[in-house]
Structure formats: structure tokens, C-alpha cells
């Protein structure tokens, strides 16, 4: 590397890969008043598409910008997503993969980050720009379009996408990518395709490009007229309710949400992403909303005349496929994203949740919702709490997810972090978990991605160890997701990032078997015992498997034994895996559900399928149609 010129004209000669790394090292933000590098490091699996140049650039700074060796590119992306979620999108990790299948493996993780509005930088190998050695190893040849390749598939799952075709291009592309990663409305994955030859090409970059820079995440003030109109609607409401989403936490608006609800006597219900906005015992916390929610929240949401949706994209599991709100209820969408604020003809308030709640509070000064409405909501929550207490109790029925959740909930520290995703556990955790600490629940249901659990737990633990190292990350995972992706048990042991992993084995994909039965079908190909191609079903020895990856592991027979094992895991210094069988048929949470639109067979030879189709269609009568 050489320097030339002086002053504003000073340059430094670097490869593209070296320049990317140097630039990332210089980008900072303020977190609680402390200057912190925005990029916390990366996850990487090296191959011929990234090790010669990007690997060379990363090695000299590996102490300052740690690179965690992944076992699977998809799980690396899941870990990066969980890391960003823990840090409330104020920090991110990059993922680097080789050209071809390594990069293709990141597609699912990018889709997860896109659906969940999470920052993730993807630095992926690409075919040679010169095309002189074509066709190269792992290259997809499109005969009519030689520019098209695997990396183009990421255009559908990225918020920012670029292919670096000249070294000077990163002078524009890197700042644009970071602006996307830090934007409250457009946040999502940024993808940079790095052709293998271009990665090593050198260029005289301006030294000023690598100067330390402090970035601040934008807080957009809402329009005063939108605030006034929303406040007038809330002032006239007799039965208002607040739907608190994950955006409340990303905005850092938990205190403002709480103060707003208390000042104006408005009940609060939580989305899946918004779990842990309020503690379980807060008097205005009426419970989780929607298909995997609570009777209390669904009842109150259904009776509300005005719904203030804060920081939520109003996914179907929140809205019960748009049946949980009364057809004539008015919606107010307070959201940093215009797209989300205006859904279903909501009265949009486009802006930051913190600033929006403060502005709304000022407009509503002195106003409170009718006290009998709040009392009604609190009565519903009291009834739901009684149901949950019985649901998580054990001793007189088969082992269940809810019982395991109750055991952990009773023994964990308030600042321990809980991670789960996909299958039946998101519903069971959302419904039964009693929040002990703000922002401590990560239920990945934006993309409902099997395999996120353990990988996401590893990423969350990496982030947790930066500020709350004495706390634990606790993973709930079913046997199906475990079998799909489990190698980051090994990653966690290798890197000293302790997890507590609860493997709840119900013999297959039990929640989908339940759905199959609930649509009138016979059990088929979900539970291992119901697979026609399986002659002799048997269970996996998850304990032995986890031990083989270096973890502590034990199998327990019941929730009482689980409690003892969990306390041993808390005391341990490395990852512990606890296995317990749960019943695939009994023990599901039976209350708290809303209608869900699913595709059912209109024509069938089965009487039960036809009957279930008719039953599902009856629920459609309460569905809002875009308004």
C-alpha cells in the first residue's frame, strides 16, 4: 500500500477487500452515550470465492473485528439476525460466503432479515468480472444472459443490492448500504456481490473516506396534522387499545409507551415481535394479541373502537387474518415506515415511535379513556393469568411445551434472554411466557424459520456477552428444528458462548400434524410414526448427539426433573442441552387463539375435510377486507 499526494488529495492504495474492511472499521454510532463500532464483527465460511482476498483483508484486524467461523451459511445469517435484534438494530454483523452454494445458502437468512426488518451485511463471492476463466467452478451459466448468476437471487430478499464491478464503486456503494442498514423505515439486509478478481484489484482511495465517522439513527418527527387527527380520534374513543409491536423496542420507546398508556388509561396488547414491551404484571398489559395470543387481548381488541398500532407491520398472526378487530373499528398506524403506517386504510402517523408517542401525549394532555373500559380489560387479563397458571402447572397430565415454559419462567433471571422460532413453540412461548425483563424475548415469527433457534441463540449470546455476560440465553427448540439445524451447539462450545438449550421432543412436526387434523385430514408424514416410508420408527438420542458436539447434556423424564436440570445448566460454564419428551397430542394451549385464514380443500372425497372447510369459512364473516 502506498500513499500519494497531501491534504484533501491524499490517497492510499488498497485492494477492494482491504478497503471494505478498513471502511467498516471506521463506522461508529452512539449507544447509551458510548461510541461503539456499528459492525460487531462477522460470521464467515471461507472458500475460493472469498478467502484469497477478503480473508487476507480480515486477518490483520481479527482482534478488533472478530470473525466467527460458521458451520453453515444459513445458520450464520440467523446468528447475525439475532445479534442485530438483541442490539435493537443499532449494531449488525456481516456474513461472508464463497461463490456458488455457500452464498446460495444465505438466501433463507436474508429473507428472514428482510421480513423482520433487521440489518445484515452480506459480503459474497461472485464470478470473475473479466469472464476470462469462464465457466468457473460453481458458476451457473445462463446462455442468454451471462450477467445473471446465483447472487441475483438476492435481489428479492435484500433492501440494498449491488455487484462491485470496479474498485471505485465502493465509494458510493458502502455508504448507501450502511444508510439502508441504519434506516428505521427501510432497514433490512444489504448485499454486495464481490467478483473474485475485483476483490483483489487495487485502487488509490481517498484517505478521507476511511476517517472515523459517528452515525446517528434517524428519528423522523411525525407530521403535526397527522398527530392532530390521530389525537382527535383517540380523544373521541370510548374503547381505545394500543397494539405494541417490535418497533417500540427498536425506537427505544418502551418508557414513552408505558407513560402514554398510563397517562391516558389505554390498555396495551402486544404482538409477537413486541413481546416484552411491558412486564407481565403491569396493570395495563392485557396480553399477547392474535392467533397465538390470549383471550384477554383478543377480547379487548375485538371490542375496541379505536386501535393505535405502534411499530407493527400487522402480520396475519397479529390480526387474526384481520378478524381480531371489529369491522367498524378505526385504525391509527404510528410507524417509521409509510408502507406499514397506512395498512388497511389506517390513519397514518408516519414517524418515530418515541417522538410520535410524545407528540400524541402532548395533544391528549389531561384526557383519559373511560375507567370502566380499563377495568374491563384488567378483568380479562386476570382471567387469562389464571388460565396460564393452570396451563403451565404439571403433575396430572402428559408433558407439554407449556409446562417446560413454566418451569424455566419460574427459575430464570429477569434479564435472561429467551429465543425460539417456528413450529409450535412460538405460540406456546407467546401465550404462556410471563415477561420478567423488558426486551428479553426473541420469538422469530416474522419469517417463522425453522433452524433459527440454536443459531439465533448463538448470535444472541454473542451480543449478550458484550453487555450482560453474567446472564443466560435460553433456547426452546423442537426435535424437528433441532434436526434441521443444530451445528451451532458446537459453535457455542467452540467460542465459549454458553447456551441453555431445551430440546422438547414430540416425535416429529407435531404442530403441523395438529393443523392437518384440524383441517379434517388423517395424520400423514408429520409425526415420524405416521410416515408411510418409515418401516420402523425410532427416536433420536439427542443427548448423545449434543454431547458429541462438546455440550453438557441430559435427558429428563418430567417437568420436575427439568427444573433440577435447568438449575444445573444455570450453574454450568458451557452450553447445556436438556432433552424432554412432550406429548404430540395433549397439552397444547387451547385458549387464546384467533381465526386464521388457511387454504382448505373446497372439494374432497372426505366428509371430515369438507366439514372442516365449511367450519373455516364460517370464521371469514368477521374478516376486514382491506379497510
Amino acid at each position: 500500500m502506498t500513499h500519494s499526494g497531501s491534504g484533501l488529495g491524499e490517497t492510499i492504495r488498497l485492494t477492494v477487500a482491504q478497503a471494505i474492511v478498513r471502511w467498516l472499521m471506521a463506522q461508529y454510532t452512539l449507544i447509551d452515550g458510548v461510541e461503539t463500532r456499528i459492525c460487531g464483527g462477522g460470521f464467515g465460511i471461507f472458500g475460493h470465492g472469498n478467502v484469497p482476498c477478503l480473508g487476507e483483508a480480515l486477518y490483520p484486524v481479527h482482534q478488533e473485528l472478530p470473525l466467527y467461523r460458521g458451520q453453515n451459511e444459513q445458520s450464520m445469517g440467523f446468528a447475525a439476525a439475532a445479534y442485530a435484534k438483541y442490539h435493537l438494530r443499532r449494531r449488525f454483523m456481516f456474513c461472508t460466503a464463497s461463490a456458488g452454494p455457500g452464498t446460495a445458502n444465505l438466501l433463507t437468512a436474508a429473507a428472514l432479515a428482510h421480513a423482520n426488518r433487521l440489518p445484515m451485511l452480506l459480503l459474497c463471492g461472485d464470478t470473475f468480472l473479466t469472464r476470462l476463466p469462464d465457466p468457473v467452478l460453481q458458476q451457473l451459466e445462463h446462455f442468454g444472459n451471462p450477467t445473471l448468476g446465483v447472487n441475483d437471487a438476492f435481489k428479492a430478499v435484500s433492501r440494498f443490492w449491488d455487484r462491485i464491478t470496479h474498485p471505485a464503486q465502493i465509494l458510493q456503494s458502502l455508504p448507501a448500504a450502511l444508510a439502508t442498514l441504519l434506516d428505521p423505515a427501510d432497514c433490512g439486509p444489504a448485499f454486495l456481490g464481490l467478483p473474485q478478481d475485483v476483490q483483489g484489484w487495487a485502487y488509490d482511495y481517498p484517505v478521507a473516506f476511511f476517517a472515523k465517522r459517528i452515525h446517528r439513527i434517524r428519528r423522523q418527527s411525525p407530521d403535526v396534522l397527522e398527530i392532530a387527527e390521530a389525537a382527535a380520534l383517540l380523544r373521541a374513543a370510548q374503547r381505545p387499545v394500543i397494539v405494541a409491536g417490535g418497533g417500540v423496542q427498536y425506537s427505544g420507546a418502551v418508557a414513552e409507551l408505558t407513560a402514554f398508556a398510563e397517562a391516558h388509561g389505554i390498555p396495551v396488547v402486544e404482538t409477537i415481535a413486541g413481546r416484552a414491551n411491558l412486564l407481565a404484571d403491569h396493570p395495563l398489559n392485557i396480553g399477547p394479541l392474535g392467533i397465538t395470543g390470549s383471550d384477554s387481548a383478543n377480547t379487548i381488541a375485538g371490542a375496541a373502537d379505536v386501535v393505535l398500532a405502534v411499530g407493527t407491520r400487522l402480520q396475519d398472526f397479529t390480526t387474526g387474518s384481520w378478524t381480531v378487530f371489529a369491522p367498524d373499528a378505526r385504525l391509527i398506524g404510528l410507524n417509521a415506515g409509510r408502507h406499514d403506517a397506512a395498512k388497511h386504510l389506517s390513519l397514518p402517523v408516519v414517524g418515530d415511535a418515541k417522538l410520535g408517542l410524545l407528540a400524541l401525549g402532548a395533544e391528549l394532555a389531561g384526557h383519559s379513556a373511560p375507567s370502566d373500559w380499563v377495568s374491563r380489560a384488567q378483568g380479562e387479563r386476570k382471567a387469562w393469568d389464571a388460565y396460564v397458571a393452570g396451563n403451565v402447572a404439571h403433575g396430572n397430565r402428559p408433558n407439554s411445551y407449556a409446562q417446560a415454559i413454566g418451569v424455566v419462567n419460574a427459575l430464570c433471571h429477569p434479564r435472561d434472554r429467551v429465543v425460539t422460532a417456528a413450529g409450535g413453540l412460538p405460540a406456546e412461548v407467546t401465550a404462556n411466557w410471563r415477561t420478567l425483563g423488558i426486551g428479553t424475548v426473541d420469538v422469530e415469527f416474522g419469517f417463522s424459520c425453522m433452524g433459527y433457534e440454536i443459531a439465533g441463540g448463538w448470535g444472541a449470546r454473542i451480543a449478550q456477552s458484550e453487555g450482560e455476560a453474567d446472564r443466560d440465553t435460553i433456547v426452546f427448540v423442537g426435535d424437528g428444528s433441532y434436526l434441521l439445524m443444530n451445528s451451532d451447539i458446537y459453535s457455542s462450545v467452540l467460542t465459549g458462548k454458553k447456551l441453555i438449550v431445551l430440546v422438547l421432543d414430540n416425535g416429529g412436526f407435531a404442530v403441523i400434524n395438529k393443523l392437518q387434523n384440524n383441517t379434517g385430514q388423517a395424520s400423514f408424514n408429520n409425526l415420524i410414526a405416521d410416515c408411510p416410508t418409515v418401516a420402523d420408527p425410532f427416536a433420536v438420542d439427542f443427548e448423545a448427539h449434543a454431547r458429541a458436539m462438546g455440550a453438557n447434556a441430559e435427558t429428563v423424564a418430567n417437568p420436575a426433573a427439568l427444573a433440577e436440570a435447568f438449575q444445573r445448566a444455570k450453574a454450568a460454564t458451557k452450553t447445556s442441552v436438556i432433552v424432554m419428551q412432550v406429548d404430540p397430542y395433549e397439552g397444547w394451549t387451547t385458549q387464546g387463539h384467533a381465526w386464521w385464514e388457511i387454504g382448505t380443500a373446497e372439494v374432497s372425497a372426505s366428509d371430515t375435510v369438507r366439514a372442516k372447510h365449511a367450519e373455516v369459512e364460517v370464521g371469514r364473516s368477521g374478516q376486514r377486507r382491506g379497510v
Side-chain angles (χ1 to χ4, degrees):
M1 296 184 290
T2 60
H3 295 262
S4 62
S6 61
L8 293 176
E10 187 177 2
T11 62
I12 181 170
R13 192 161 183 82
L14 299 169
T15 68
V16 167
Q18 291 163 359
I20 290 172
V21 172
R22 181 177 287 236
W23 187 84
L24 283 175
M25 295 279 291
Q27 309 309 308
Y28 284 76
T29 190
L30 291 172
I31 298 179
D32 299 327
V34 178
E35 290 186 5
T36 306
R37 185 175 286 119
I38 296 174
C39 182
F43 296 97
I45 294 178
F46 284 139
H48 69 278
N50 59 350
V51 75
C53 298
L54 190 59
E56 186 276 339
L58 287 167
Y59 177 74
V61 298
H62 68 271
Q63 294 291 342
E64 301 162 87
L65 200 69
L67 182 68
Y68 289 89
R69 179 194 178 279
Q71 320 304 326
N72 177 299
E73 290 88 356
Q74 181 174 311
S75 74
M76 291 186 338
F78 291 164
Y83 180 94
K85 190 180 289 190
Y86 179 94
H87 280 298
L88 302 176
R89 305 195 305 192
R90 298 173 297 182
R91 301 193 79 196
F92 67 84
M93 298 283 267
F94 68 82
C95 294
T96 179
S98 187
T103 287
N105 282 344
L106 278 167
L107 268 168
T108 302
L112 178 143
H114 190 287
N116 284 282
R117 321 289 210 255
L118 294 171
M120 178 193 305
L121 178 62
L122 305 173
L123 302 174
C124 296
D126 208 331
T127 53
F128 287 83
L129 188 67
T130 64
R131 302 184 193 161
L132 291 175
D134 285 8
V136 298
L137 178 67
Q138 301 172 334
Q139 180 178 349
L140 300 182
E141 293 183 89
H142 289 268
F143 313 128
N145 185 353
T147 67
L148 189 62
V150 167
N151 288 1
D152 292 271
F154 283 83
K155 291 177 180 177
V157 293
S158 300
R159 291 284 190 168
F160 179 89
W161 187 97
D162 201 0
R163 177 177 282 122
I164 305 304
T165 57
H166 188 279
Q169 189 176 331
I170 66 169
L171 293 169
Q172 305 296 330
S173 191
L174 284 175
L178 184 60
T180 302
L181 295 173
L182 296 181
D183 191 280
D186 295 334
C187 185
F191 181 93
L192 295 182
L194 303 175
Q196 295 164 64
D197 46 1
V198 176
Q199 281 184 50
W201 289 356
Y203 184 76
D204 294 324
Y205 290 99
V207 170
F209 182 64
F210 304 106
K212 180 179 178 180
R213 184 175 178 188
I214 308 296
H215 300 263
R216 291 172 176 81
I217 296 176
R218 181 183 305 108
R219 288 194 183 277
Q220 179 179 338
S221 296
D223 182 85
V224 293
L225 295 179
E226 290 183 348
I227 287 291
E229 192 174 354
L233 193 56
L234 284 167
R235 191 178 290 276
Q238 295 300 302
R239 299 177 305 281
V241 69
I242 299 169
V243 177
V248 172
Q249 292 180 37
Y250 294 143
S251 172
V254 168
E256 287 71 19
L257 170 76
T258 306
F260 180 85
E262 291 172 349
H264 307 294
I266 303 179
V268 178
V269 298
E270 295 180 324
T271 71
I272 297 173
R275 288 294 269 112
N277 277 323
L278 295 177
L279 299 182
D281 59 0
H282 191 283
L284 290 174
N285 183 354
I286 310 305
L289 178 68
I291 294 165
T292 59
S294 59
D295 283 351
S296 52
N298 289 339
T299 298
I300 292 305
D305 57 355
V306 174
V307 177
L308 173 59
V310 185
T312 171
R313 64 193 185 101
L314 295 173
Q315 181 215 35
D316 70 334
F317 263 66
T318 295
T319 67
S321 299
W322 290 102
T323 61
V324 298
F325 306 126
D328 60 349
R330 293 291 307 277
L331 305 182
I332 302 169
L334 171 53
N335 205 293
R338 173 193 53 79
H339 174 77
D340 293 319
K343 285 177 178 172
H344 271 238
L345 298 187
S346 296
L347 192 164
V349 180
V350 181
D352 175 68
K354 181 193 286 278
L355 298 182
L357 288 167
L358 289 172
L360 272 175
E363 285 283 328
L364 287 171
H367 172 75
S368 290
S371 59
D372 59 342
W373 169 242
V374 177
S375 297
R376 176 181 170 185
Q378 291 170 337
E380 294 287 349
R381 177 58 195 250
K382 184 177 180 181
W384 177 252
D385 286 343
Y387 171 75
V388 170
N391 201 37
V392 301
H394 52 87
N396 59 355
R397 60 195 175 103
N399 295 347
S400 70
Y401 283 165
Q403 292 169 355
I405 290 164
V407 166
V408 173
N409 211 172
L411 295 173
C412 71
H413 188 277
R415 290 304 307 166
D416 286 345
R417 189 167 185 83
V418 176
V419 179
T420 195
L425 277 163
E428 297 295 317
V429 169
T430 299
N432 294 289
W433 186 264
R434 293 184 55 79
T435 299
L436 305 175
I438 298 298
T440 55
V441 180
D442 177 1
V443 177
E444 196 296 291
F445 222 48
F447 204 53
S448 183
C449 216
M450 291 177 65
Y452 176 87
E453 299 91 340
I454 295 171
W458 182 43
R461 179 57 191 158
I462 291 171
Q464 185 187 48
S465 65
E466 295 171 0
E468 297 178 288
D470 55 344
R471 302 280 67 91
D472 283 306
T473 295
I474 302 162
V475 174
F476 288 100
V477 61
D479 54 302
S481 277
Y482 182 101
L483 288 172
L484 182 80
M485 192 169 292
N486 54 63
S487 58
D488 286 319
I489 291 175
Y490 180 55
S491 300
S492 72
V493 178
L494 276 177
T495 58
K497 305 301 181 186
K498 173 195 167 185
L499 300 175
I500 300 176
V501 180
L502 282 78
V503 182
L504 302 177
D505 180 3
N506 56 25
F509 305 137
V511 74
I512 300 301
N513 178 72
K514 182 164 76 82
L515 176 62
Q516 192 172 49
N517 295 161
N518 287 346
T519 56
Q521 302 176 63
S523 296
F524 166 53
N525 219 55
N526 284 311
L527 298 178
I528 302 298
D530 297 323
C531 294
T533 55
V534 175
D536 187 16
F538 67 94
V540 172
D541 188 342
F542 294 107
E543 178 185 339
H545 186 267
R547 286 186 185 277
M549 290 189 284
N552 299 328
E554 57 181 302
T555 302
V556 299
N558 52 54
L562 173 62
E564 296 173 0
F566 183 75
Q567 289 172 311
R568 287 190 287 272
K570 290 284 287 180
T573 58
K574 71 173 181 178
T575 293
S576 295
V577 176
I578 307 169
V579 184
M580 185 177 80
Q581 287 192 336
V582 297
D583 194 280
Y585 303 104
E586 301 295 327
W588 296 104
T589 297
T590 56
Q591 295 186 25
H593 303 307
W595 185 79
W596 183 30
E597 180 164 8
I598 52 174
T600 55
E602 185 176 355
V603 176
S604 174
S606 167
D607 292 340
T608 55
V609 169
R610 292 197 305 273
K612 286 293 184 179
H613 170 74
E615 183 182 314
V616 168
E617 289 303 303
V618 169
R620 191 182 301 281
S621 61
Q623 188 176 35
R624 296 168 68 105
R625 300 187 179 186
V627 297

